[in-house]
């Protein structure tokens, strides 16, 4: 398989981390959604990353869909979303909040970087969405005493939150103080210290 996209994208990073943990061999093509758009377009008409090219040439897009496919390649007990309820839907919701947070971080970044006239309305909406999601995630994680979000092993939800927190600091330094979200801050530090997080990592490069 070929994973297209740079690891400064939290969406690409969560897929690269999962593939590495699953022991799925892949070639990484660290193409930029902007600088390498002409190379990405033949694989993905949206010219977005992550884009995953399967060995038979078929292409998957959207990190959640990609992870759903990859989860089907590994034994049930190795999958990074819980198999049974109610933890399954709870983990899906935490991951969805994290992915939505990432979407808002991207949107706020593009607003400031790509628009001649920045919309104050949109900026304040994105900021409020980011801060509210962080508060909800903080409360959820703080209410749990387990080593990881849903037990003794970490999963896609833990990974999604951690990669988004790193991305938030990279794309918007100073926008949010993680001291206000101490449980999330500790969670991110715990995850970023793992070898797989250090391996699947890249310094942030702003789109030109
Ligand atoms: N919902 C998507 C988000 C992917 C995304 O926003 N990727 C960004 C890079 S961080 C991108 O490709 N941006 C280019 C664009 O949207 O045109 C996912 O989960 O894969």
């Amino acid at each position: 398989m070929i994973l297209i996209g740079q690891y400064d994208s939290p969406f690409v990073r969560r897929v690269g981390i999962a593939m590495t943990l699953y022991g799925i061999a892949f070639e990484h093509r660290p193409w930029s959604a902007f600088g390498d758009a002409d190379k990405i377009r033949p694989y993905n008409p949206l010219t977005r990353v992550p884009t995953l090219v399967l060995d038979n040439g078929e292409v998957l897009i959207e990190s959640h869909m990609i992870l759903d496919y990859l989860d089907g390649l590994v034994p049930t007990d190795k999958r990074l979303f819980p198999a049974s309820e109610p933890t399954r839907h709870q983990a899906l919701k935490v991951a969805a909040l994290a992915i939505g947070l990432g979407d808002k971080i991207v949107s706020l970044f593009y607003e400031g970087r790509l628009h001649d006239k920045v919309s104050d309305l949109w900026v304040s909406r994105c900021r409020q969405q980011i801060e509210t999601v962080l508060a909800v995630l903080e409360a959820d994680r703080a209410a749990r005493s387990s080593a990881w979000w849903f037990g003794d092993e970490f999963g896609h939800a833990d990974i999604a939150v951690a990669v988004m927190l790193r991305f938030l600091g990279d794309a918007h330094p100073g926008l949010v103080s993680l001291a206000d979200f101490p449980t999330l801050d500790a969670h991110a530090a715990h995850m970023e210290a793992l070898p797989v997080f250090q391996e699947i990592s890249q310094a942030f490069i702003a789109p030109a």
Side-chain angles (χ1 to χ4, degrees):
M1 294 187 215
I2 303 169
L3 176 60
I4 296 174
Q6 301 190 353
Y7 291 144
D8 64 349
S9 160
F11 306 98
V12 179
R13 196 173 176 219
R14 72 190 291 241
V15 172
I17 287 170
M19 293 183 84
T20 304
L21 289 169
Y22 284 158
I24 296 172
F26 65 99
E27 178 191 336
H28 181 215
R29 294 195 187 160
W31 293 344
S32 159
F34 284 81
D36 298 307
D38 290 344
K39 288 195 229 170
I40 297 172
R41 197 170 295 108
Y43 297 99
N44 179 354
L46 288 167
T47 51
R48 299 180 86 195
V49 294
T51 294
L52 185 72
V53 186
L54 306 186
D55 292 341
N56 67 2
E58 285 187 78
V59 176
L60 297 179
I61 62 172
E62 287 290 325
S63 60
H64 184 78
M65 311 302 167
I66 292 172
L67 293 181
D68 188 61
Y69 170 77
L70 296 173
D71 285 357
L73 302 181
V74 297
T76 315
D77 63 338
K78 296 272 184 265
R79 294 178 189 168
L80 289 166
F81 272 127
S84 55
E85 298 291 2
T87 43
R88 181 169 175 78
H89 76 260
Q90 292 169 357
L92 285 166
K93 178 163 182 203
V94 168
L97 281 170
I99 298 315
L101 173 67
D103 287 336
K104 289 296 152 182
I105 296 167
V106 169
S107 191
L108 182 59
F109 186 82
Y110 291 163
E111 183 66 29
R113 174 67 65 138
L114 302 176
H115 292 170
D116 290 336
K117 181 162 174 16
V118 172
S119 162
D120 292 340
L121 177 65
W122 187 247
V123 166
S124 75
R125 183 178 170 83
C126 288
R127 289 183 66 151
Q128 186 176 44
Q129 288 165 314
I130 289 169
E131 285 167 18
T132 310
V133 169
L134 288 174
V136 167
L137 289 173
E138 170 73 17
D140 188 311
R141 184 66 186 96
R144 298 172 189 273
S145 55
S146 45
W148 298 102
W149 215 293
F150 293 100
D152 295 337
E153 308 285 344
F154 68 82
H156 288 312
D158 299 89
I159 296 168
V161 173
V163 296
M164 294 311 159
L165 290 175
R166 156 84 181 272
F167 182 53
L168 176 60
D170 284 350
H172 303 289
L175 179 75
V176 167
S177 169
L178 283 188
D180 294 335
F181 307 99
T183 318
L184 294 183
D185 196 17
H187 172 82
H190 197 179
M191 299 227 77
E192 290 291 348
L194 297 172
V196 69
F197 269 66
Q198 297 190 359
E199 178 189 342
I200 308 296
S201 177
Q202 181 199 306
F204 182 64
I205 304 171

